[in-house]
Amino acid sequence: MARRQGAAAADVLSAPQEQATLPGESLARMSSGEQVRLYVRRLIFDGVLKQGQRVPQDAIAQALGVSRIPVREALIALEREGWTTIIPHRGAFVNALDEPSVRDHYELYGLFYGFGVRRAVERKGTDLAEPLRVLQQQIAETTDPEVLHRLTLAFHRTVIDAAQSPRLRTMLRQMTDIVPGNFFALVPDADEVEREGVAAIVTAIERGYPELAEREYATMLRRQGDLVVELFRARGMFDADDAEDGSAPTA
């Protein structure tokens, strides 16, 4: 077991640090705890850390050049997000992912953004369609995943700003995307689903149908969830048999 845990620590040390960054962000601009959080999520996504495996805190601290304090802070945040479980006197362990949880995640996104667009149309009417159509056309034209990522964030942000719902903002801030990085660079066919989805949403807004815009948002995010499930299945991220010795005990 010691040899396996030592090998895991070596894998962490050899993993490229830039994988932890998100589009438009740099490690230098993030807090140490945020660096570690994104880094660990990416290690799980890339299969360096597997289900049931103890997170090698010292190796991660050394890899990122930080102390143990931000590592502990990050693991607490990751536990809140469902990525890890902290067991007193034993350490933090990677949680198993399951297909229903991934699907639920994107269903919830659909509910939140669907509510947001319905509220936005109720407040702004068809005028909301004008700035969204500009973004939708840019989304349709770009083939660059980085640009697509920024445009998509701008589209969602425009909808949520127009909804004028502080409560909705709070709920969305509490959700962290399951895919740690540029969604469109990592998830096959996600770009096409996004293009079709935002086009349908804008058309519904232009026609003054808030309920239809709400349904189109939910449909788009459900389809994105389907793609993430396919990706995770292909990566073996749903396979509980990958767990190694040193895993968290089961009830």
Side-chain angles (χ1 to χ4, degrees), residues 149-169:
H149 179 84
R150 291 196 296 271
L151 290 171
T152 298
L153 289 180
F155 186 96
H156 296 325
R157 188 165 49 247
T158 300
V159 169
I160 299 306
D161 287 347
Q164 300 176 18
S165 172
R167 183 60 178 166
L168 177 59
R169 287 181 181 276

Side-chain angles (χ1 to χ4, degrees), residues 9-232:
D11 286 341
V12 173
L13 286 172
S14 64
Q17 297 181 25
E18 64 270 20
Q19 289 183 332
T21 60
L22 297 178
E25 296 178 327
S26 70
L27 289 174
R29 291 204 300 268
M30 294 186 223
S31 69
S32 296
E34 184 70 1
Q35 290 181 38
V36 177
R37 187 181 70 83
L38 294 175
Y39 187 60
V40 173
R41 283 179 55 209
R42 188 59 188 250
L43 292 175
I44 297 170
F45 181 77
D46 287 340
V48 178
L49 293 177
K50 297 182 181 298
Q51 300 168 16
Q53 185 175 334
R54 182 183 286 110
V55 179
Q57 299 182 42
D58 289 336
I60 289 172
Q62 184 176 350
L64 294 178
V66 299
S67 70
R68 287 286 297 271
I69 294 175
V71 175
R72 287 195 293 268
E73 291 173 350
L75 292 174
I76 291 170
L78 289 166
E79 185 175 44
R80 287 198 301 266
E81 296 169 3
W83 288 94
T84 61
T85 294
I86 299 173
I87 300 178
H89 311 300
R90 290 199 59 189
F93 297 83
V94 178
N95 285 343
L97 287 172
D98 61 83
E99 182 175 326
S101 295
V102 174
R103 294 191 186 280
D104 287 352
H105 184 87
Y106 287 93
E107 288 282 347
L108 286 169
Y109 263 141
L111 289 173
F112 287 143
Y113 280 105
F115 170 82
V117 76
R118 175 163 54 83
R119 183 69 76 234
V121 175
E122 290 169 354
R123 294 184 184 279
K124 299 290 186 180
T126 57
D127 289 345
L128 175 63
E130 184 176 351
L132 291 179
R133 180 61 79 183
V134 172
L135 290 167
Q136 180 270 318
Q137 291 171 345
Q138 293 173 333
I139 288 170
E141 293 168 0
T142 186
T143 58
D144 185 332
E146 294 282 344
V147 175
L148 181 57
H149 179 84
R150 291 196 296 271
L151 290 171
T152 298
L153 289 180
F155 186 96
H156 296 325
R157 188 165 49 247
T158 300
V159 169
I160 299 306
D161 287 347
Q164 300 176 18
S165 172
R167 183 60 178 166
L168 177 59
R169 287 181 181 276
T170 299
M171 298 299 292
L172 285 171
R173 277 198 298 268
Q174 294 174 3
M175 295 189 69
T176 302
D177 202 0
I178 291 175
V179 178
N182 187 320
F183 190 85
F184 303 105
L186 294 170
V187 183
D189 301 324
D191 54 347
E192 192 57 37
V193 169
E194 194 77 15
R195 292 187 186 97
E196 293 174 3
V198 297
I201 292 165
V202 175
T203 297
I205 295 171
E206 288 175 333
R207 294 176 178 175
Y209 296 144
E211 292 83 5
L212 178 57
E214 181 177 19
R215 288 198 300 273
E216 294 291 0
Y217 235 124
T219 297
M220 178 179 72
L221 288 164
R222 185 179 303 116
R223 291 179 66 195
Q224 297 290 27
D226 291 341
L227 294 178
V228 173
V229 166
E230 292 177 13
L231 175 64
F232 282 13

